[in-house]
């Protein structure tokens, strides 16, 4: 046996050596025949760095191997090469070699880049074969009888400038068989291909997808017709069957059909461009999802083929692995066609018999969209919704948390343009019912709770027959109307108007004023301490609200019986009257807040109060930010009216240097208790009397300007017999610098007659300093009354335009009160941290 094996190996070695020797001796002859055949079959130049005949490259077949091959395109003006390859193997059988026939049986292309192009005129660069040379004469020693084509690591790029198409793919391993006759070219291919992208226009399809291909293609050269036998393309678990014909004698005429098997939602979505599947890419499905379609007709600049696609699902479920929520028992049938005219005007999309369940609650509907050039929509839907499950299945960025139930019915019918602009109630109608809804929005600190009510959609408006709920500690109930809501949601720049009547048991402004806190982002968040956007009020939103509340809370304020109205128009808030019982009396306010400049708000208001106890007023307003006169010093009732012009910066901080106000105040049955400066007047009355100073009525007109409160001269009739009439005037700055002047008429004989004035003797005192460090001193020289009167904001000329917050504040003309004294040095007109002053 061993001897036999040695003889066999020796014989094989002799034969192989003889073959190698024969190949080496006939190499030049084979290469010459090969080059002559290429020149006869090809009409484009082919270059290679070298050619060689090898037994080993394609063993057991012999091969002519071309190294570093470059194939030019068929367009003479095109400088881009059709193909570049590291190696091209053309193999033929050894028996053919022994018989003197050099017929290529197989071709292998390795490490190549192929670039196929069509210019805007539809001319391609791939016409490389000479006409009528598909087959060689029987007597020719060199010919092609391809039994196999193999592509190894080949990158293919196809570009069509006229149709804006760009295809890029590569073949790790793809085998094909090629059969060429006088009239037909048949290609059968099988293997794997990797699609990087199929771009149509600006959309990329089949991105980064691996395909399994099994196809057979026949080209009828005289009839100029391409036939695609039923072929299979595998993409993941889905298999797509393609078949049909393409005639290309003139403009291409298509007759193609496609059918999908084993598809699911993720496999279908994965084929679509990112702009279409981005929002849904994470969703998965179970159950039967199907689609199929046909493309028939001419493809040219004048005509489009007829496209018809049917799709749907049966008892399917759709879910997102991250949110652990599913829409179950879903069924629908769909159909798309571009219509009889094969254009957008006749295109139509139908979704019928839509049914399913979300969280065990059913929904159903149908949709029709026709005439894509001027779309016309018909939509009917009805759903019972578990809000928590719905939000988890399809998260909304603006909603942090939601739970409760809702029922929705909706009907739309008409041209989309009319539905977007000004729909009629006959075109748009629907109803939303809320029951015990809990809703926590991203930009709100407090959640909406116990929301219940009914909203009705009627054309562009939403009627609110009833709606109630809570926002934090505050509650509300009411009815109203949202006008032009549909256009406002669908079109930028459209106006929206809210008309409502709202009632509340409790309004807690400790929460309401700070509940809306929109999150800053990006650079704005980093620079939020240095820049502020101010109060941004949409220019297109108008509001008209009638409001009532049983109770109102804000810091120390405990109000009741709030009544009034609030309007918003053109970024200006206004009210003809808001009234409130608080601090033992009644107060009201009317005026406007101009928010057209977010970084400079102007409020022009008139505030009045009736019979408000002074001690309660000072307690509620926390002594107005000062400790000189506090709620423990005062008794009596205040009736006052104030006209105020105030400004606020981008941080909504009051600009106190711009504040102007005129206050008409009357105090009845007033008492001044334990007021320290009075204790220093013990020579007029006993300390016990001065500790409890009473006066029947006090009237005065106060002015606020340049961070200073001006108190014109006023008469105080008190219970002190020695000084029954006290005259007071002075100033009090927002920096708590005070300067008051007091004149007390004296009884005859108390002072020498030589120093008595025309109106009798006067005791003149000055109180100067700050609220914690002040001094009371005598004034010896009489002080002349100032002739000009202080001008308050109510008597000013017509209002001037609002100042620019970025410009420096112009100095105001000096205002002389009804007394002459040196005003305190003006400090920088900027409020200090935590400082405020309200009157």
């Amino acid at each position: 046996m061993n001897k036999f094996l040695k003889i066999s190996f020796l014989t094989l070695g002799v034969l192989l050596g003889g073959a190698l020797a024969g190949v080496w001796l006939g190499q030049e002859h084979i290469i010459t025949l090969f080059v002559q055949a290429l020149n006869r079959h090809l009409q484009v130049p082919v270059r290679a760095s070298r050619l060689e005949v090898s037994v080993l490259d394609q063993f057991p077949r012999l091969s002519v191997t071309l190294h570093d091959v470059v194939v030019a395109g068929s367009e003479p003006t095109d400088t881009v090469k059709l193909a570049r390859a590291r190696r091209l193997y053309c193999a033929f059988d050894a028996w053919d070699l022994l018989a003197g026939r050099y017929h290529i049986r197989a071709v292998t292309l390795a490490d190549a880049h192929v670039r196929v192009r069509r210019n805007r005129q539809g001319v391609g660069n791939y016409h490389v074969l000479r006409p009528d040379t598909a087959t060689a004469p029987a007597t020719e020693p060199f010919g092609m009888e391809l039994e196999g084509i193999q592509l190894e690591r080949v990158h293919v790029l196809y570009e069509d400038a006229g149709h804006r198409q760009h295809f890029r793919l590569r073949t790790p391993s793809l085998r094909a068989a090629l059969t060429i006759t006088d009239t037909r070219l048949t290609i059968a291919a099988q293997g794997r291909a990797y699609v990087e992208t199929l771009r149509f226009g600006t959309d990329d399809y089949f991105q980064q997808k691996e395909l399994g291909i099994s196809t057979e293609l026949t080209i009828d050269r005289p009839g100029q017709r391409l036939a695609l036998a039923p072929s299979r393309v595998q993409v993941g678990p889905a298999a797509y069957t393609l078949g049909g014909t393409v005639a290309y004698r003139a403009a291409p005429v298509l007759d193609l059909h496609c059918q999908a098997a084993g598809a699911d939602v993720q496999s279908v979505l994965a084929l679509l461009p990112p702009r279409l599947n981005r929002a849904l890419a994470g969703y998965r499905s179970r159950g039967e999802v199907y689609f199929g379609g046909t493309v028939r007709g001419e493809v040219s600049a004048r005509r489009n083929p007829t496209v018809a696609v049917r799709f749907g699902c049966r008892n399917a479920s759709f879910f997102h692995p991250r949110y652990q929520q599913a829409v179950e028992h879903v069924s629908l049938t769909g159909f798309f066609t571009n219509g009889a005219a094969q254009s957008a005007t006749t295109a139509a999309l139908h979704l019928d018999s839509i049914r399913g369940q979300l969280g065990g609650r059913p929904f159903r509907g149908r949709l029709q969209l026709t005439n894509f050039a001027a779309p016309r929509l018909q939509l009917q839907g009805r759903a019972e919704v578990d809000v928590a499950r719905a939000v988890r299945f399809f998260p909304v960025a603006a909603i942090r948390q939601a739970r409760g139930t809702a029922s929705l019915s909706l009907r739309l019918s008409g041209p989309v343009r009319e539905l977007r602009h000004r729909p009629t109630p006959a075109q748009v109608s629907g109803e939303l019912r809320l029951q015990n809804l809990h809703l926590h929005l991203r930009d709100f600190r407090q959640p909406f709770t116990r929301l219940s009510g009914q909203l009705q959609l009627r054309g562009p408006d939403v009627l609110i027959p009833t709606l109630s709920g809570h926002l934090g500690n505050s509650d509300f109930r009411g009815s109203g109307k949202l006008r032009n809501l549909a256009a406002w949601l669908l079109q930028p720049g459209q106006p929206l108007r809210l008309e409502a009547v709202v009632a509340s048991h409790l309004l807690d402004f400790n929460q309401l004023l700070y509940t809306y806190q929109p999150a800053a982002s990006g650079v704005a968040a980093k620079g939020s301490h240095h820049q502020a956007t101010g109060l941004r009020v949409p220019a297109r939103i108008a509001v008209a609200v009638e409001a009532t509340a049983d109770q109102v809370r804000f810091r120390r304020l405990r109000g009741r019986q709030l009544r009034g109205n609030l309007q918003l128009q053109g970024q200006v808030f206004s009210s003809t009257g808001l009234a409130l019982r608080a601090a033992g009396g009644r107060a009201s306010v009317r005026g406007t807040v101009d928010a057209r400049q977010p970084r400079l708000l102007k409020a022009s208001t008139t505030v009045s109060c009736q019979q408000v106890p002074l001690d309660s007023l000072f307690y509620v307003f926390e002594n107005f930010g000062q400790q000189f006169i506090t709620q423990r010093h005062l008794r009596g009732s205040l009736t006052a009216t104030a006209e105020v012009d105030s400004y606020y910066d981008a941080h909504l901080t009051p600009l106190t240097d711009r504040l102007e106000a005129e206050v008409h105040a009357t105090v009845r049955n007033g008492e001044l208790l334990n007021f320290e400066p009075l204790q220093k007047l013990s020579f007029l009355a006993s300390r016990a009397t001065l500790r409890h100073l009473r006066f029947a009525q006090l009237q005065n007109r106060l002015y606020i300007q340049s961070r200073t409160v001006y108190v014109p001269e006023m008469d105080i009739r008190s219970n002190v017999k020695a000084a029954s009439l006290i005259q007071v005037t002075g100033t009090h700055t927002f920096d708590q610098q005070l300067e008051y002047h007091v004149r007390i008429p004296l009884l005859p004989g108390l002072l020498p007659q030589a120093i008595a004035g025309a109106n009798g003797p006067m005791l003149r005192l000055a109180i100067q300093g700050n609220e914690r460090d002040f001094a009371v001193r005598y004034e010896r020289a009489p002080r002349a009354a100032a002739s000009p009167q202080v001008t308050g904001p109510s008597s000013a000329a017509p209002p001037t335009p609002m100042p620019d917050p970025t410009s420096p504040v112009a100095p105001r003309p000096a205002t002389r009160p009804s007394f002459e004294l040196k005003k305190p040095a003006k400090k920088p007109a900027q409020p200090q941290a935590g400082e405020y002053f309200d009157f």
Side-chain angles (χ1 to χ4, degrees), residues 222-243:
Q224 295 186 338
R225 184 173 178 272
L226 182 150
L228 180 65
S231 303
R232 182 183 178 89
V233 178
Q234 188 84 25
V235 185
Y240 304 90
T241 303
L242 307 173

Side-chain angles (χ1 to χ4, degrees), residues 419 422-430 456-462 484-487:
L419 298 179
R422 193 68 182 175
T424 65
Q427 294 174 325
V428 176
S429 63
Q456 297 176 350
L457 181 61
R458 296 291 182 267
D461 304 331
V462 174
N484 201 40
L485 177 64

Side-chain angles (χ1 to χ4, degrees), residues 261 369 464 636 647 708 720:
L369 184 63
I464 309 175
Y647 295 85
T708 302
V720 179

Side-chain angles (χ1 to χ4, degrees), residues 501-574:
V501 177
V502 180
S504 174
H505 174 67
L506 170 65
L507 293 179
D508 188 349
F509 286 98
N510 294 303
Q511 293 180 344
L512 293 178
L513 290 179
Y514 307 103
T515 190
Y516 181 66
Q517 296 291 329
S521 61
V523 179
K526 297 180 181 179
S528 58
H529 295 292
H530 305 286
Q531 289 185 339
T533 58
L535 179 62
R536 298 284 180 177
V537 179
R540 299 290 182 175
I541 292 183
V543 176
V545 176
E546 295 285 341
T548 61
D550 297 333
Q551 299 180 44
V552 175
R553 295 179 187 171
F554 181 63
R555 300 183 71 165
R556 292 181 177 179
L557 175 66
R558 295 296 183 270
R560 55 190 177 88
Q561 297 182 14
L562 173 67
R563 302 288 186 273
N565 60 77
L566 179 66
Q567 292 84 33
L568 170 62
Q569 185 73 41
Q571 298 177 288
V572 177
F573 294 91
S574 63

